[in-house]
Amino acid sequence: MQLKADVVSVLDDLRRIIQVLRESSREAERTLGVSGAQLFALRALADGELSLNELAARTRTHQSTVSVVVKRLVAAGLVNSAAARDDARRLVLALTPRGRALLARAPLAAQHRLIAGLEGLPAAQRLALSGALRALVHEMGLDDEAPAMFFEDGEAQRTKKRARDA
């Protein structure tokens, strides 16, 4: 089977990106006890209170996706969820002192590098990349797959397995 050089090039570049994201998430879990996705969400909350929708926008994820991460952060005592002062129907999220202390010793999550890289591309290249990735997702039959935050589910499952095995 003859490999096409452009396919190999795309696969190699995807491998590089996935590898740095995976390593960043593993390092965060090993040193801080949180996944890379959780660290990314904590960083987004560093500047002050946000609603769940605002946090989703800052992390560039869907509200339902970031909601799962927030539940884990609240359960770990790193984030508080409370009614907004101006509207009791709206919940706001904020770092706890424990969450701030964790961030003080935490490196940036690799997602920040990915976003900075994407935002650094000229608009035409970003648009072309977006279209190409959309087409790839369609060709793979993944249109209906909900996009989770990078490695959040896998990291959580490994953590639960380690706790069971201990």
Side-chain angles (χ1 to χ4, degrees):
M1 177 178 168
Q2 181 73 14
L3 293 179
K4 296 180 181 179
D6 57 342
V7 172
V8 172
S9 177
V10 169
L11 289 173
D12 284 349
D13 289 341
L14 286 172
R15 288 179 185 117
R16 286 181 185 100
I17 293 167
I18 292 167
Q19 182 65 28
V20 76
L21 291 168
R22 180 182 295 121
E23 287 173 359
S24 174
S25 190
R26 284 181 182 157
E27 182 67 12
E29 187 163 345
R30 186 183 66 75
T31 61
L32 304 168
V34 296
S35 71
Q38 291 166 343
L39 178 56
F40 187 52
L42 287 170
R43 280 266 181 237
L45 287 167
D47 293 331
E49 294 181 345
L50 295 173
S51 71
L52 193 59
N53 286 335
E54 290 166 335
L55 180 59
R58 285 238 181 127
T59 59
R60 288 129 173 120
T61 55
H62 190 272
Q63 181 269 341
S64 63
T65 300
V66 80
S67 174
V68 173
V69 173
V70 166
K71 285 179 187 173
R72 291 180 182 141
L73 293 171
V74 169
L78 300 171
V79 170
N80 280 329
S81 175
R85 290 179 200 101
D86 61 339
D87 183 354
R89 297 169 295 172
R90 188 173 70 94
L91 290 179
V92 291
L93 307 168
L95 294 176
T96 64
R98 187 171 167 214
R100 288 204 180 282
L102 183 142
L103 271 186
R105 64 182 202 277
L108 282 179
Q111 289 93 320
H112 289 99
R113 288 176 60 193
L114 177 60
I115 290 168
L118 288 168
E119 289 176 344
L121 293 174
Q125 285 185 336
R126 264 195 324 269
L127 189 59
L129 178 59
S130 175
L133 288 173
R134 252 337 307 131
L136 176 60
V137 165
H138 180 73
E139 285 298 317
M140 294 175 68
L142 302 175
D143 296 303
D144 295 331
E145 293 291 321
M149 291 181 82
F150 289 112
F151 304 106
E152 178 59 18
D153 293 333
E155 295 298 330
Q157 289 169 353
R158 278 196 293 280
T159 302
K160 288 177 188 173
K161 183 180 183 317
R162 280 195 298 265
R164 280 195 316 263
D165 293 345

